[in-house]
Amino acid sequence: MAAVVAATALKGRGARNARVLRGILSGATANKASQNRTRALQSHSSPECKEEPEPLSPELEYIPRKRGKNPMKAVGLAWYSLYTRTWLGYLFYRQQLRRARNRYPKGHSRTQPRLFNDNYSYLIIDTHARLAVAVDPSDPQAVQASIEKEGVNLVAILCTHKHWDHSGGNRDLSRWHQDCRVYGSPQDGIPYLTHPLCHQDVVSVGRLQIQALATPGHTQGHLVYLLDGEPYKGPSCLFSGDLLFLSGCGRTFEGTAETMLSSLDTVLGLGDDTLLWPGHEYAEENLGFAGVVEPENLARERKMQWVQRQRMERKSTCPSTLGEERSYNPFLRTHCLVLQEALGPGPGPTGDDSCSRAQLLEKLRQLKDLHKSK
């Protein structure tokens, strides 16, 4: 299911000039009350609090949702090559898309409907120039519906990587919008790519300044995109694709643990107030796994309580902040002694700490692949 996120994240954090972020999770109805959006963001923005998490209300029963089949889970090299390098993968993506539309005709969430699996797509809008940028358009029909609702002109598509659930909408949107440019890494074989990007290249659309950062590991040419929030007096926004999720990270399909660690450290170098807009809604499962490897982490427990309430109301869990993620995301905590003692192999024979962190990251990823949320 594709999804659509909070409509005015920057305004909710104090932007004065314009609403620049429209989360479109496929076909969406944007939140109607910006005050509600602001309260939602503020309610989980202080991970350093020391109080115990509040239990769920006794009249509410939490039932974890059953996730759809992940086409990339437990795949062999042959299937992965077919999925990513041939039109068989695209046809498989189209079949999934049809099934998702039939299964979820009214979307996944009340205020942020989703249509394709658990993907997020985003629409970033310069409201002054009425120009829009789509990020990872998984369902082109849903993206187009949001473009028409907002009354904007789509001029760019930013793809984090080549997988069809992130790039499958490129063909149709490029045909419907003749002047639309498609950005991404030339190393990744992005379909319908027109404008290749390298590390730290900047895409300018109206007043929007969006920097591409090379973060290989999930795929060889994976990019994340950083929207500069300074012109709007708000936090920056990180569109992380399949590199980083709420309390999780992507699988290392085309790299090593050392490569993925370097990419995660690139993100860790950004400010704590940076808003994280990931490529998938994996919050419940990821936080459940984090509780297995670090059961006494109160920040994780508080976040899980909040996420459960969000999902019971069929609301998105985006965005979190990088400051929050540092407090409970185990894949960003490989430097923490508690995880190193519990899972890590210890420093290598030369005392190289980065080596031991990479080994710990690899161990965490292996455990996560075997983990099943209860």
Side-chain angles (χ1 to χ4, degrees), residues 25-113:
L25 282 110
S26 301
T29 325
N31 286 346
K32 294 182 179 179
S34 61
Q35 294 179 349
N36 291 340
R37 287 192 296 270
T38 304
R39 286 196 295 269
L41 292 176
Q42 291 174 343
S43 67
H44 64 285
S45 61
S46 301
E48 301 302 325
C49 298
K50 299 298 183 181
E51 67 270 12
E52 293 289 339
E54 296 181 4
L56 291 175
S57 175
E59 66 269 15
L60 297 177
E61 179 184 5
Y62 170 61
I63 303 176
R65 70 180 179 91
K66 184 178 180 181
R67 287 189 57 197
K69 291 183 179 179
N70 180 355
M72 302 309 298
K73 187 174 183 179
V75 296
L77 180 60
W79 167 238
Y80 181 76
S81 296
L82 288 173
Y83 179 79
T84 58
R85 299 177 184 177
T86 73
W87 277 94
L88 289 176
Y90 179 75
L91 294 176
F92 182 75
Y93 149 78
R94 297 291 297 184
Q95 181 187 51
Q96 283 190 302
L97 190 58
R98 287 193 297 269
R99 288 178 177 177
R101 286 171 177 164
N102 291 333
R103 185 177 180 184
Y104 303 100
K106 296 183 180 179
H108 173 273
S109 305
R110 290 193 182 96
T111 56
Q112 297 96 7

Coordinates of all heavy atoms in Angstrom, one line a residue, residues 25-113:
L25 N 1.0 9.6 0.4 CA 0.9 8.1 0.4 C -0.2 7.7 -0.5 O -1.3 7.7 -0.1 CB 0.5 7.7 1.7 CG 1.7 7.7 2.6 CD1 1.8 8.7 3.7 CD2 1.7 6.4 3.1
S26 N 0.0 7.6 -1.6 CA -0.9 7.1 -2.7 C -2.4 7.5 -2.5 O -3.2 6.8 -2.0 CB -0.9 5.7 -2.7 OG 0.3 5.1 -3.0
G27 N -2.8 8.5 -2.9 CA -4.1 8.8 -3.1 C -4.7 9.6 -2.0 O -5.8 9.4 -1.6
A28 N -4.1 10.4 -1.5 CA -4.5 10.8 -0.2 C -5.3 12.0 0.0 O -5.3 12.9 -0.7 CB -3.2 11.0 0.5
T29 N -5.9 11.8 1.2 CA -6.6 13.0 1.7 C -5.7 13.6 2.7 O -5.3 12.9 3.6 CB -7.9 12.5 2.4 OG1 -8.4 11.4 1.7 CG2 -8.9 13.6 2.5
A30 N -5.3 14.8 2.5 CA -4.3 15.4 3.5 C -5.1 15.7 4.8 O -6.3 15.8 4.8 CB -3.8 16.7 2.9
N31 N -4.3 15.8 5.9 CA -4.9 16.1 7.2 C -5.7 17.4 7.1 O -5.1 18.4 6.5 CB -3.8 16.2 8.3 CG -3.3 14.9 8.7 OD1 -3.9 13.9 8.3 ND2 -2.2 14.9 9.4
K32 N -6.8 17.5 7.7 CA -7.7 18.7 7.5 C -7.3 19.8 8.5 O -7.6 20.9 8.3 CB -9.1 18.3 7.6 CG -9.6 17.4 6.4 CD -11.1 17.1 6.5 CE -11.5 16.3 5.4 NZ -12.9 15.9 5.4
A33 N -6.8 19.4 9.7 CA -6.5 20.4 10.7 C -5.0 20.4 11.0 O -4.5 19.5 11.5 CB -7.3 20.0 12.0
S34 N -4.4 21.5 10.7 CA -3.0 21.6 10.9 C -2.6 21.6 12.4 O -1.6 21.2 12.8 CB -2.4 22.9 10.3 OG -3.0 24.0 10.9
Q35 N -3.6 22.0 13.3 CA -3.3 21.9 14.7 C -3.2 20.5 15.1 O -2.4 20.2 16.0 CB -4.5 22.6 15.5 CG -4.5 24.1 15.2 CD -5.7 24.8 16.0 OE1 -6.5 24.1 16.5 NE2 -5.7 26.1 16.0
N36 N -4.0 19.6 14.6 CA -3.9 18.2 14.9 C -2.6 17.7 14.5 O -2.0 16.9 15.2 CB -5.0 17.4 14.3 CG -6.4 17.7 14.9 OD1 -6.5 18.2 16.0 ND2 -7.4 17.4 14.2
R37 N -2.1 18.1 13.3 CA -0.8 17.6 12.8 C 0.3 18.1 13.8 O 1.2 17.3 14.1 CB -0.5 18.1 11.4 CG -1.4 17.4 10.4 CD -0.9 17.8 9.0 NE -1.0 19.2 8.7 CZ -2.1 19.8 8.1 NH1 -3.1 19.0 7.8 NH2 -2.1 21.1 7.9
T38 N 0.2 19.3 14.2 CA 1.2 19.9 15.1 C 1.3 19.1 16.4 O 2.3 18.7 16.9 CB 1.0 21.3 15.4 OG1 0.9 22.0 14.1 CG2 2.1 21.9 16.3
R39 N 0.1 18.8 17.0 CA 0.0 18.0 18.2 C 0.6 16.6 18.0 O 1.3 16.1 18.9 CB -1.4 18.0 18.7 CG -1.9 19.3 19.3 CD -3.2 19.0 20.1 NE -4.3 18.5 19.3 CZ -5.2 19.3 18.7 NH1 -5.1 20.7 18.9 NH2 -6.1 18.9 18.0
A40 N 0.3 16.0 16.9 CA 0.8 14.7 16.6 C 2.4 14.7 16.6 O 3.0 13.8 17.1 CB 0.3 14.2 15.3
L41 N 3.0 15.7 16.0 CA 4.4 15.8 15.9 C 5.0 16.1 17.3 O 5.9 15.4 17.7 CB 4.8 16.9 14.9 CG 4.5 16.6 13.5 CD1 4.9 17.9 12.7 CD2 5.3 15.4 13.0
Q42 N 4.4 17.0 18.0 CA 4.9 17.3 19.3 C 4.8 16.2 20.3 O 5.6 16.0 21.2 CB 4.2 18.6 19.9 CG 4.5 19.8 19.1 CD 3.6 21.0 19.5 OE1 2.6 20.8 20.2 NE2 4.1 22.2 19.2
S43 N 3.8 15.3 20.1 CA 3.5 14.3 21.1 C 4.6 13.2 21.1 O 4.7 12.5 22.1 CB 2.2 13.6 20.8 OG 2.3 12.9 19.5
H44 N 5.5 13.2 20.1 CA 6.6 12.2 20.2 C 7.9 12.8 19.9 O 8.8 12.2 19.3 CB 6.3 11.0 19.2 CG 6.2 11.4 17.8 ND1 5.2 12.1 17.3 CD2 7.1 11.2 16.8 CE1 5.4 12.3 16.0 NE2 6.6 11.7 15.7
S45 N 8.1 14.0 20.3 CA 9.3 14.7 19.9 C 10.3 14.9 21.0 O 11.3 15.6 20.9 CB 9.0 16.1 19.4 OG 8.3 16.9 20.4
S46 N 10.1 14.2 22.2 CA 11.0 14.4 23.3 C 11.4 13.0 23.9 O 10.9 12.6 24.9 CB 10.3 15.2 24.4 OG 9.9 16.5 23.9
P47 N 12.3 12.3 23.2 CA 12.6 11.0 23.6 C 13.4 10.9 24.9 O 13.7 9.9 25.4 CB 13.5 10.5 22.4 CG 14.0 11.7 21.8 CD 13.0 12.8 22.0
E48 N 13.9 12.1 25.4 CA 14.7 12.1 26.6 C 14.0 12.1 27.9 O 14.5 12.1 28.9 CB 15.7 13.3 26.5 CG 16.6 13.3 25.3 CD 17.4 12.0 25.2 OE1 17.8 11.5 26.2 OE2 17.6 11.6 24.0
C49 N 12.6 12.2 27.8 CA 11.8 12.2 29.0 C 12.1 10.9 29.8 O 12.3 9.9 29.3 CB 10.4 12.3 28.7 SG 10.0 13.8 27.9
K50 N 12.0 11.0 31.2 CA 12.3 9.9 32.0 C 11.1 9.2 32.5 O 11.2 8.1 33.2 CB 13.1 10.4 33.2 CG 14.4 11.0 32.8 CD 15.3 10.1 32.1 CE 16.7 10.7 31.8 NZ 17.5 9.8 31.1
E51 N 9.9 9.7 32.3 CA 8.7 9.1 32.9 C 8.4 7.8 32.2 O 8.7 7.5 31.1 CB 7.5 10.0 32.8 CG 7.0 10.2 31.4 CD 7.7 11.4 30.8 OE1 8.6 11.9 31.4 OE2 7.2 11.9 29.7
E52 N 7.7 6.9 33.0 CA 7.3 5.6 32.4 C 6.3 5.8 31.4 O 5.4 6.7 31.4 CB 6.8 4.7 33.6 CG 7.8 4.3 34.6 CD 8.8 3.3 34.0 OE1 8.4 2.6 33.0 OE2 9.9 3.1 34.6
P53 N 6.2 4.9 30.4 CA 5.2 5.0 29.3 C 3.8 4.7 29.9 O 3.7 3.9 30.7 CB 5.6 4.0 28.3 CG 6.4 3.0 29.1 CD 7.1 3.8 30.1
E54 N 2.8 5.4 29.3 CA 1.5 5.2 29.8 C 0.9 3.9 29.1 O 1.2 3.7 27.9 CB 0.6 6.4 29.3 CG 0.9 7.7 30.0 CD 0.0 8.8 29.6 OE1 -0.9 8.5 28.8 OE2 0.2 9.9 30.0
P55 N 0.2 3.1 29.9 CA -0.3 1.9 29.3 C -1.5 2.2 28.3 O -2.1 3.3 28.4 CB -0.8 1.0 30.5 CG -1.1 2.1 31.5 CD -0.1 3.2 31.3
L56 N -1.8 1.3 27.5 CA -3.0 1.5 26.6 C -4.2 1.5 27.5 O -4.3 0.9 28.5 CB -3.1 0.3 25.6 CG -2.1 0.3 24.5 CD1 -2.3 -1.0 23.7 CD2 -2.2 1.5 23.6
S57 N -5.2 2.3 27.0 CA -6.5 2.4 27.8 C -7.1 1.0 27.8 O -7.1 0.2 26.9 CB -7.4 3.4 27.0 OG -8.7 3.4 27.6
P58 N -7.7 0.6 29.0 CA -8.2 -0.7 29.2 C -9.3 -1.1 28.2 O -9.5 -2.2 27.9 CB -8.7 -0.7 30.6 CG -8.9 0.7 31.0 CD -7.8 1.4 30.2
E59 N -10.1 -0.1 27.7 CA -11.1 -0.4 26.8 C -10.7 -0.6 25.3 O -11.4 -0.9 24.5 CB -12.2 0.7 26.8 CG -11.7 2.1 26.3 CD -11.2 2.9 27.4 OE1 -10.9 2.4 28.5 OE2 -11.1 4.1 27.1
L60 N -9.3 -0.3 25.1 CA -8.8 -0.5 23.8 C -8.0 -1.8 23.7 O -7.2 -2.1 24.6 CB -7.9 0.7 23.4 CG -8.6 2.1 23.3 CD1 -7.5 3.1 23.0 CD2 -9.6 2.1 22.3
E61 N -8.2 -2.5 22.6 CA -7.4 -3.7 22.4 C -6.5 -3.5 21.2 O -7.0 -3.1 20.1 CB -8.3 -4.9 22.2 CG -7.6 -6.2 21.9 CD -8.5 -7.4 21.6 OE1 -9.7 -7.1 21.4 OE2 -8.0 -8.5 21.4
Y62 N -5.2 -3.7 21.4 CA -4.3 -3.6 20.3 C -4.1 -4.9 19.6 O -3.8 -5.9 20.1 CB -2.9 -3.1 20.8 CG -1.9 -3.2 19.8 CD1 -2.0 -2.4 18.6 CD2 -0.8 -4.0 19.9 CE1 -1.0 -2.4 17.6 CE2 0.2 -4.0 18.9 CZ 0.1 -3.2 17.8 OH 1.0 -3.3 16.8
I63 N -4.4 -4.9 18.3 CA -4.2 -6.0 17.4 C -3.2 -5.7 16.3 O -3.5 -4.9 15.5 CB -5.6 -6.5 16.8 CG1 -6.6 -6.7 17.9 CG2 -5.4 -7.7 15.9 CD1 -8.0 -7.0 17.4
P64 N -2.1 -6.3 16.4 CA -1.1 -6.0 15.3 C -1.6 -6.3 14.0 O -2.3 -7.4 13.8 CB 0.1 -6.8 15.7 CG -0.1 -7.2 17.1 CD -1.5 -7.2 17.3
R65 N -1.4 -5.5 13.0 CA -1.9 -5.8 11.6 C -1.1 -6.9 11.0 O 0.1 -7.0 11.3 CB -1.9 -4.5 10.7 CG -0.5 -4.1 10.3 CD -0.6 -2.8 9.5 NE 0.7 -2.3 9.1 CZ 1.3 -2.7 8.0 NH1 0.8 -3.6 7.2 NH2 2.5 -2.2 7.7
K66 N -1.7 -7.6 10.2 CA -1.0 -8.7 9.4 C -0.4 -8.1 8.2 O -1.1 -7.5 7.3 CB -1.9 -9.8 9.0 CG -1.2 -11.0 8.4 CD -2.2 -12.1 8.1 CE -1.6 -13.2 7.4 NZ -2.5 -14.3 7.0
R67 N 0.9 -8.2 8.1 CA 1.6 -7.6 7.0 C 1.4 -8.4 5.7 O 1.3 -9.6 5.8 CB 3.1 -7.4 7.2 CG 3.5 -6.3 8.2 CD 4.9 -6.1 8.3 NE 5.5 -5.8 7.0 CZ 6.7 -5.9 6.6 NH1 7.6 -6.3 7.5 NH2 7.1 -5.7 5.4
G68 N 1.4 -7.7 4.6 CA 1.3 -8.5 3.3 C 2.7 -9.1 3.0 O 3.7 -8.9 3.7
K69 N 2.7 -10.0 2.1 CA 3.9 -10.7 1.7 C 4.9 -9.7 1.1 O 4.6 -8.8 0.3 CB 3.6 -11.7 0.7 CG 2.8 -12.9 1.2 CD 2.6 -14.0 0.2 CE 1.9 -15.2 0.7 NZ 1.7 -16.2 -0.3
N70 N 6.1 -9.8 1.6 CA 7.2 -8.9 1.1 C 7.9 -9.7 0.0 O 8.5 -10.7 0.2 CB 8.2 -8.7 2.2 CG 9.4 -7.8 1.8 OD1 9.5 -7.5 0.6 ND2 10.2 -7.4 2.7
P71 N 7.8 -9.1 -1.3 CA 8.4 -9.9 -2.4 C 9.9 -10.0 -2.3 O 10.5 -10.8 -3.0 CB 8.0 -9.0 -3.6 CG 7.8 -7.6 -3.0 CD 7.2 -7.9 -1.7
M72 N 10.5 -9.2 -1.5 CA 12.0 -9.2 -1.4 C 12.5 -10.0 -0.2 O 13.7 -10.0 0.1 CB 12.5 -7.8 -1.3 CG 12.1 -6.9 -2.5 SD 12.5 -7.7 -4.1 CE 14.2 -7.8 -4.0
K73 N 11.6 -10.6 0.5 CA 12.0 -11.4 1.7 C 12.5 -12.8 1.4 O 11.8 -13.5 0.6 CB 10.9 -11.4 2.8 CG 11.3 -12.0 4.1 CD 10.2 -11.9 5.1 CE 10.6 -12.4 6.5 NZ 9.5 -12.3 7.5
A74 N 13.6 -13.2 1.9 CA 14.1 -14.5 1.7 C 14.3 -14.8 0.2 O 13.9 -15.9 -0.2 CB 13.2 -15.5 2.4
V75 N 14.8 -13.9 -0.5 CA 14.9 -14.1 -2.0 C 16.3 -14.6 -2.3 O 17.2 -14.4 -1.6 CB 14.6 -12.8 -2.8 CG1 13.2 -12.3 -2.6 CG2 15.6 -11.7 -2.4
G76 N 16.4 -15.4 -3.4 CA 17.7 -15.8 -3.9 C 18.2 -14.8 -4.8 O 17.6 -13.9 -5.3
L77 N 19.5 -15.0 -5.2 CA 20.2 -14.1 -6.1 C 19.5 -14.1 -7.5 O 19.3 -13.0 -8.1 CB 21.6 -14.5 -6.2 CG 22.5 -13.7 -7.2 CD1 22.5 -12.2 -6.7 CD2 23.9 -14.2 -7.3
A78 N 19.0 -15.3 -7.9 CA 18.4 -15.3 -9.3 C 17.1 -14.5 -9.3 O 16.9 -13.7 -10.2 CB 18.1 -16.8 -9.6
W79 N 16.3 -14.7 -8.3 CA 15.0 -13.9 -8.2 C 15.3 -12.4 -8.1 O 14.7 -11.6 -8.7 CB 14.1 -14.4 -7.1 CG 13.0 -13.5 -6.8 CD1 12.7 -12.9 -5.6 CD2 12.0 -13.0 -7.7 NE1 11.6 -12.1 -5.8 CE2 11.1 -12.2 -7.0 CE3 11.7 -13.3 -9.1 CZ2 10.0 -11.6 -7.6 CZ3 10.6 -12.7 -9.7 CH2 9.8 -11.8 -9.0
Y80 N 16.3 -12.1 -7.3 CA 16.6 -10.7 -7.1 C 17.0 -10.0 -8.4 O 16.6 -8.9 -8.8 CB 17.7 -10.5 -6.0 CG 18.0 -9.0 -5.8 CD1 17.2 -8.2 -5.1 CD2 19.2 -8.5 -6.3 CE1 17.5 -6.9 -4.9 CE2 19.5 -7.2 -6.1 CZ 18.7 -6.4 -5.4 OH 19.0 -5.0 -5.2
S81 N 17.8 -10.8 -9.2 CA 18.3 -10.3 -10.5 C 17.1 -10.1 -11.4 O 17.0 -9.1 -12.2 CB 19.3 -11.2 -11.1 OG 20.5 -11.3 -10.2
L82 N 16.2 -11.1 -11.5 CA 15.0 -11.0 -12.3 C 14.2 -9.8 -11.9 O 13.7 -9.0 -12.8 CB 14.2 -12.3 -12.3 CG 14.8 -13.5 -13.0 CD1 13.9 -14.7 -12.7 CD2 14.9 -13.3 -14.5
Y83 N 14.0 -9.6 -10.6 CA 13.1 -8.5 -10.1 C 13.7 -7.1 -10.4 O 13.0 -6.2 -10.8 CB 13.0 -8.7 -8.6 CG 12.1 -7.6 -7.9 CD1 10.7 -7.6 -8.0 CD2 12.7 -6.5 -7.3 CE1 10.0 -6.6 -7.5 CE2 11.9 -5.5 -6.7 CZ 10.6 -5.6 -6.8 OH 9.8 -4.6 -6.2
T84 N 15.0 -7.0 -10.3 CA 15.6 -5.7 -10.5 C 16.1 -5.4 -11.9 O 16.3 -4.2 -12.2 CB 16.8 -5.5 -9.5 OG1 17.7 -6.5 -9.7 CG2 16.3 -5.6 -8.0
R85 N 16.4 -6.4 -12.7 CA 17.0 -6.1 -13.9 C 16.2 -6.5 -15.2 O 16.7 -6.3 -16.3 CB 18.4 -6.9 -14.0 CG 19.3 -6.5 -12.8 CD 20.6 -7.3 -12.9 NE 21.4 -7.0 -11.7 CZ 22.6 -7.6 -11.4 NH1 23.0 -8.6 -12.2 NH2 23.3 -7.2 -10.4
T86 N 15.1 -7.0 -15.0 CA 14.3 -7.4 -16.2 C 12.8 -6.9 -16.1 O 12.4 -6.5 -15.0 CB 14.2 -8.9 -16.3 OG1 13.4 -9.5 -15.3 CG2 15.6 -9.6 -16.2
W87 N 12.1 -7.0 -17.2 CA 10.7 -6.5 -17.2 C 9.8 -7.5 -16.4 O 8.7 -7.2 -16.1 CB 10.2 -6.4 -18.6 CG 10.6 -5.0 -19.2 CD1 11.7 -4.7 -19.9 CD2 9.9 -3.8 -19.0 NE1 11.8 -3.4 -20.2 CE2 10.7 -2.8 -19.7 CE3 8.7 -3.4 -18.3 CZ2 10.3 -1.5 -19.7 CZ3 8.3 -2.1 -18.4 CH2 9.1 -1.1 -19.0
L88 N 10.3 -8.7 -16.1 CA 9.5 -9.6 -15.3 C 9.3 -9.0 -13.9 O 8.2 -9.1 -13.3 CB 10.3 -10.9 -15.1 CG 10.3 -11.8 -16.4 CD1 11.1 -13.1 -16.1 CD2 8.9 -12.2 -16.8
G89 N 10.3 -8.3 -13.4 CA 10.1 -7.6 -12.1 C 9.1 -6.5 -12.2 O 8.2 -6.3 -11.3
Y90 N 9.1 -5.8 -13.3 CA 8.0 -4.7 -13.5 C 6.6 -5.3 -13.6 O 5.7 -4.8 -13.0 CB 8.3 -3.9 -14.7 CG 7.3 -2.8 -15.0 CD1 7.3 -1.6 -14.2 CD2 6.4 -2.9 -16.0 CE1 6.4 -0.6 -14.5 CE2 5.4 -1.9 -16.2 CZ 5.5 -0.8 -15.5 OH 4.5 0.2 -15.7
L91 N 6.5 -6.4 -14.3 CA 5.2 -7.1 -14.4 C 4.7 -7.6 -13.1 O 3.5 -7.5 -12.7 CB 5.3 -8.2 -15.4 CG 5.5 -7.8 -16.9 CD1 5.7 -9.0 -17.8 CD2 4.4 -6.9 -17.4
F92 N 5.7 -8.1 -12.3 CA 5.3 -8.6 -10.9 C 4.9 -7.4 -10.1 O 3.9 -7.5 -9.3 CB 6.6 -9.2 -10.3 CG 6.3 -9.8 -8.9 CD1 5.6 -10.9 -8.7 CD2 6.8 -9.1 -7.8 CE1 5.4 -11.4 -7.4 CE2 6.6 -9.6 -6.5 CZ 5.9 -10.7 -6.3
Y93 N 5.6 -6.2 -10.2 CA 5.1 -5.0 -9.5 C 3.7 -4.6 -9.9 O 2.9 -4.3 -9.0 CB 6.1 -3.9 -9.8 CG 5.6 -2.5 -9.8 CD1 5.3 -1.9 -8.6 CD2 5.3 -1.9 -11.0 CE1 4.8 -0.6 -8.6 CE2 4.8 -0.6 -11.0 CZ 4.5 0.0 -9.8 OH 4.0 1.3 -9.8
R94 N 3.4 -4.7 -11.2 CA 2.1 -4.3 -11.6 C 1.0 -5.2 -11.1 O -0.1 -4.8 -10.7 CB 2.0 -4.3 -13.2 CG 3.0 -3.3 -13.8 CD 2.5 -1.8 -13.6 NE 1.3 -1.5 -14.2 CZ 0.7 -0.3 -14.2 NH1 1.4 0.7 -13.7 NH2 -0.4 -0.1 -14.8
Q95 N 1.3 -6.5 -11.0 CA 0.4 -7.5 -10.4 C 0.1 -7.1 -9.0 O -1.0 -7.2 -8.5 CB 0.9 -8.9 -10.6 CG 0.0 -10.0 -10.0 CD 0.7 -11.3 -10.0 OE1 1.8 -11.5 -9.6 NE2 0.0 -12.3 -10.6
Q96 N 1.2 -6.8 -8.2 CA 1.0 -6.5 -6.8 C 0.2 -5.2 -6.7 O -0.7 -5.1 -5.8 CB 2.4 -6.2 -6.2 CG 3.2 -7.5 -5.8 CD 4.4 -7.1 -5.0 OE1 5.2 -6.3 -5.4 NE2 4.5 -7.6 -3.8
L97 N 0.4 -4.3 -7.5 CA -0.3 -3.0 -7.5 C -1.8 -3.3 -7.7 O -2.7 -2.7 -7.0 CB 0.2 -2.1 -8.5 CG -0.3 -0.6 -8.5 CD1 0.0 0.0 -7.2 CD2 0.4 0.2 -9.6
R98 N -2.2 -4.1 -8.7 CA -3.6 -4.4 -8.9 C -4.2 -5.1 -7.7 O -5.3 -4.8 -7.3 CB -3.7 -5.3 -10.1 CG -3.5 -4.5 -11.5 CD -3.9 -5.4 -12.6 NE -3.2 -6.6 -12.7 CZ -2.0 -6.7 -13.5 NH1 -1.6 -5.6 -14.1 NH2 -1.4 -7.8 -13.5
R99 N -3.5 -6.0 -7.1 CA -4.0 -6.7 -6.0 C -4.2 -5.8 -4.8 O -5.2 -5.9 -4.0 CB -3.1 -7.9 -5.6 CG -3.1 -9.0 -6.5 CD -2.1 -10.1 -6.1 NE -2.1 -11.2 -7.0 CZ -1.3 -12.3 -6.9 NH1 -0.3 -12.3 -6.0 NH2 -1.4 -13.3 -7.8
A100 N -3.3 -4.9 -4.6 CA -3.4 -4.0 -3.5 C -4.6 -3.0 -3.6 O -5.3 -2.7 -2.7 CB -2.1 -3.1 -3.3
R101 N -4.8 -2.6 -4.9 CA -6.0 -1.7 -5.1 C -7.3 -2.4 -4.9 O -8.2 -1.8 -4.4 CB -5.9 -1.2 -6.6 CG -4.8 -0.1 -6.8 CD -4.7 0.2 -8.3 NE -3.7 1.3 -8.5 CZ -3.2 1.5 -9.7 NH1 -3.5 0.8 -10.7 NH2 -2.3 2.5 -9.8
N102 N -7.3 -3.7 -5.2 CA -8.5 -4.5 -5.0 C -8.7 -4.7 -3.5 O -9.9 -4.7 -3.0 CB -8.5 -5.8 -5.8 CG -8.6 -5.6 -7.3 OD1 -9.2 -4.6 -7.7 ND2 -8.0 -6.5 -8.0
R103 N -7.7 -5.0 -2.8 CA -7.8 -5.3 -1.4 C -8.0 -4.1 -0.5 O -8.7 -4.2 0.5 CB -6.5 -6.0 -1.0 CG -6.5 -6.5 0.5 CD -5.2 -7.3 0.8 NE -5.3 -7.8 2.2 CZ -4.2 -8.4 2.8 NH1 -3.1 -8.6 2.1 NH2 -4.3 -8.8 4.1
Y104 N -7.5 -3.0 -0.9 CA -7.6 -1.8 -0.1 C -8.3 -0.7 -0.9 O -7.6 0.4 -1.2 CB -6.3 -1.3 0.5 CG -5.6 -2.4 1.3 CD1 -4.5 -3.1 0.7 CD2 -5.9 -2.6 2.6 CE1 -3.9 -4.1 1.4 CE2 -5.2 -3.6 3.3 CZ -4.2 -4.3 2.8 OH -3.6 -5.3 3.5
P105 N -9.5 -0.8 -1.4 CA -10.1 0.2 -2.3 C -10.3 1.5 -1.6 O -10.4 2.6 -2.2 CB -11.5 -0.5 -2.6 CG -11.7 -1.4 -1.5 CD -10.4 -1.9 -1.1
K106 N -10.4 1.6 -0.2 CA -10.6 2.8 0.5 C -9.3 3.3 1.2 O -9.3 4.2 2.0 CB -11.7 2.7 1.5 CG -13.0 2.4 0.9 CD -14.1 2.3 1.9 CE -15.5 2.0 1.3 NZ -16.6 2.0 2.3
G107 N -8.2 2.6 0.8 CA -6.9 3.1 1.4 C -6.7 2.4 2.8 O -7.5 1.7 3.3
H108 N -5.5 2.7 3.3 CA -5.1 2.1 4.6 C -5.4 2.9 5.8 O -5.7 2.4 6.8 CB -3.6 1.8 4.5 CG -3.0 1.3 5.8 ND1 -2.6 2.1 6.8 CD2 -2.8 0.0 6.3 CE1 -2.1 1.4 7.8 NE2 -2.3 0.2 7.5
S109 N -5.3 4.2 5.6 CA -5.5 5.1 6.8 C -6.6 6.1 6.5 O -6.9 6.5 5.4 CB -4.2 5.8 7.1 OG -3.1 4.9 7.3
R110 N -7.2 6.6 7.6 CA -8.3 7.6 7.4 C -7.8 8.9 6.9 O -8.3 9.5 5.9 CB -8.9 7.8 8.8 CG -9.7 6.6 9.3 CD -10.6 7.0 10.5 NE -11.4 5.9 11.0 CZ -11.0 5.2 12.0 NH1 -9.9 5.5 12.6 NH2 -11.7 4.2 12.5
T111 N -6.7 9.4 7.5 CA -6.2 10.7 7.0 C -5.0 10.6 6.1 O -4.7 11.6 5.4 CB -5.8 11.6 8.2 OG1 -4.9 10.9 9.0 CG2 -7.0 11.9 9.1
Q112 N -4.4 9.5 6.1 CA -3.3 9.2 5.2 C -3.4 7.9 4.5 O -2.8 6.9 4.8 CB -1.9 9.3 5.9 CG -1.6 10.6 6.6 CD -2.0 10.6 8.0 OE1 -2.4 9.6 8.6 NE2 -2.0 11.7 8.7
P113 N -4.3 7.8 3.5 CA -4.6 6.5 2.9 C -3.4 6.0 2.1 O -2.6 6.7 1.6 CB -5.7 6.8 1.9 CG -6.0 8.2 1.9 CD -5.1 8.9 3.0

